[in-house]
Amino acid sequence: CMKSRVTFGVNKKGNICTIQKGGREGLNPVTMLSLLESAKKIGQELITKLDAILLAERKAGKPKLGYMA
């Protein structure tokens, strides 16, 4: 059962843009910093991969969809 959760929003420069904490329990500051560093690393990796896919699709002439249109 989840007692707390935290969601981080990260941009391609690794800046934290948003933090949302939910649940009834608190988070240890050391744990929070560890989660923050993981979020920055994973977020940048995902953005880099997504940008590469979008660039390849653009070069292939695929139409933009969704909010990218």
Side-chain angles (χ1 to χ4, degrees), residues 2-23:
M2 179 184 76
K3 294 183 180 184
S4 66
R5 66 166 172 75
V6 64
T7 304
F8 297 98
V10 182
N11 67 15
K12 66 172 56 179
K13 293 180 181 179
N15 298 322
I16 300 298
C17 302
T18 59
I19 300 175
Q20 181 183 37
K21 193 248 177 234

Side-chain angles (χ1 to χ4, degrees), residues 32-44:
M32 188 73 153
L33 289 174
S34 175
L35 293 171
L36 181 63
E37 290 303 316
S38 294
K40 288 169 70 171
K41 180 180 180 228
I42 294 168
Q44 283 183 291

